[in-house]
């Protein structure tokens, strides 16, 4: 599943190139997770002003309204001067005078949704409830600790829930908890202030580095220019069950939390 760094890397790979482009045509494939919310023809003639990100949504500002794009479980975007005819898994093409933006999504959990504005109900219902941006200035260590104190669930699941801090998915939650030395099963309410501070820094570090490295290749990720990332080569614990911890040599363990796999080192990560 594309996580925040992949979405941010995708955004950076085409945002500048598509800004100012005029939409000529919208082609829809099979239904995605949610309907577009307008007639494709209504978007013709609109100009793309900017592409922003909120959580794992890309917000494409138009001169009339906004398009929200989500990559779902298996989506990827490609933006190129021209593209071959849409294939069986290409479900959305935004044809502009600068090139074609295509959503390729075999599992079709992704979506493109039009809203009259960010505050319009179609957009608000997707964006409301999202926690603070982990890479933004609003992500504050003290406020993070206060929010964790109110939650009894295991810290890993609180991170994944996305309402305290948004976009820390399975890979990066495992990695950040390793860097902070915190056992993923520890109740969030029992994370001390100093450990919350360490975790805050670790979340920022692991996400910023993943963005810098171009995202993860764990699920065939590639950005909108077709370049793949390579964060997985550096994972400390994620996907390494049975292998020695890179710090202490203890065998990395895998457990299930919710429906997700969690990886940790029993020696480096204290309950
Ligand atoms: Zn270790």
């Amino acid at each position: 599943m594309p996580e925040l760094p992949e979405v941010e890397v995708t955004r950076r790979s085409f945002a500048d190139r598509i800004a100012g482009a005029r939409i000529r045509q919208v082609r829809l494939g099979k239904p995605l997770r949610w309907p577009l919310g307008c007639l494709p023809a209504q978007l013709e003639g609109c100009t793309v002003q900017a592409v922003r990100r909120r959580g794992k949504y890309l917000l494409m500002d138009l001169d009339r309204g906004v398009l929200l794009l989500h990559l779902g479980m298996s989506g990827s975007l490609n933006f190129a001067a021209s593209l071959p005819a849409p294939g069986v898994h290409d479900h959305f093409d935004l044809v502009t005078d600068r090139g074609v933006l295509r959503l390729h999504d075999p599992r079709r959990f992704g979506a493109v949704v039009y809203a009259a504005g960010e505050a319009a109900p179609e957009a608000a219902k997707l964006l409301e409830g999202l926690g603070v941006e982990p890479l933004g200035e609003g992500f504050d260590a003290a406020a993070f600790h206060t929010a964790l104190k109110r939650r009894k669930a295991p810290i890993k699941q609180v991170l994944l829930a996305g309402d305290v801090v948004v976009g820390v998915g399975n890979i990066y939650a495992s990695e950040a908890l390793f860097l902070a030395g915190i056992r993923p099963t520890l109740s969030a309410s029992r994370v001390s202030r100093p450990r919350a501070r360490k975790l805050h820094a670790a979340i920022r570090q692991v996400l910023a580095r993943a963005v810098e490295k171009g995202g993860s290749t764990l699920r065939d990720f590639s950005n909108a220019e077709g370049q793949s990332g390579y964060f997985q080569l550096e994972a400390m614990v994620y996907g390494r069950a049975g292998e020695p911890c890179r710090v202490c040599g203890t065998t990395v363990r895998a457990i299930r939390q919710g429906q997700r796999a969690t990886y940790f080192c029993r020696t480096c990560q204290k309950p």
Side-chain angles (χ1 to χ4, degrees):
M1 180 185 315
E3 296 204 29
L4 185 147
E6 287 87 338
V7 178
E8 176 61 17
V9 169
T10 296
R11 187 189 72 79
R12 292 183 186 184
S13 69
F14 77 100
D16 288 349
R17 292 186 292 142
I18 206 169
R22 193 176 161 87
I23 298 169
R24 286 182 174 153
Q25 194 196 348
V26 174
R27 287 195 298 246
L28 300 179
K30 293 200 187 94
L32 291 162
R33 181 167 183 182
W34 300 300
L36 178 61
C38 73
L39 292 172
Q42 281 177 251
L43 299 174
E44 290 170 14
C46 286
T47 301
V48 178
Q49 297 184 320
V51 184
R52 296 174 290 133
R53 182 187 56 74
R54 178 75 179 99
K56 295 204 287 186
Y57 288 93
L58 290 178
L59 279 66
M60 184 181 287
D61 294 310
L62 307 175
D63 54 342
R64 300 191 299 271
V66 59
L67 277 178
L68 283 77
L69 293 90
H70 197 284
L71 301 178
M73 303 286 285
S74 59
S76 60
L77 288 170
N78 191 357
F79 183 64
S82 67
L83 288 171
V88 66
H89 298 306
D90 297 327
H91 303 301
F92 177 83
D93 274 4
L94 192 74
V95 183
T96 77
D97 58 1
R98 299 254 183 103
V100 182
L101 181 71
R102 171 170 293 172
L103 175 64
H104 174 85
D105 188 359
R107 296 182 64 181
R108 291 194 283 125
F109 283 102
V112 182
V113 173
Y114 174 81
E118 210 174 320
E122 301 79 13
K125 77 178 177 200
L126 300 178
L127 302 176
E128 73 189 1
L130 295 183
V132 63
E133 285 290 332
L135 295 174
E137 289 175 6
F139 187 37
D140 171 75
F144 179 54
H145 180 234
T146 304
L148 293 184
K149 279 198 294 190
R150 296 195 198 104
R151 307 292 293 271
K152 293 223 172 358
I155 179 64
K156 163 95 182 308
Q157 278 159 283
V158 169
L159 293 179
L160 288 191
D163 54 342
V164 171
V165 55
V166 74
V168 185
N170 205 35
I171 302 169
Y172 303 104
S174 285
E175 292 295 300
L177 287 165
F178 177 83
L179 288 184
I182 298 171
R183 191 76 59 90
T185 48
L186 179 66
S187 167
S189 63
R190 298 189 55 207
V191 175
S192 67
R193 182 185 296 264
R195 298 182 93 192
R197 186 169 294 279
K198 273 185 103 168
L199 181 57
H200 172 267
I203 288 168
R204 275 211 206 266
Q205 182 188 330
V206 76
L207 290 174
R209 203 179 59 192
V211 170
E212 199 179 291
K213 293 285 183 189
S216 155
T217 57
L218 290 162
R219 312 256 188 235
D220 298 328
F221 167 75
S222 64
N223 67 22
E225 292 175 309
Q227 296 160 333
S228 55
Y230 38 87
F231 177 75
Q232 65 165 349
L233 301 177
E234 291 183 4
M236 297 298 280
V237 285
Y238 187 85
R240 299 192 65 242
E243 294 177 42
C245 170
R246 297 193 200 278
V247 172
C248 74
T250 302
T251 303
V252 173
R253 290 191 59 184
I255 55 167
R256 304 293 292 182
Q257 284 186 292
Q259 302 302 315
R260 314 299 299 278
T262 293
Y263 301 88
F264 68 98
C265 170
R266 266 183 302 176
T267 305
C268 294
Q269 294 174 262
K270 307 293 184 200

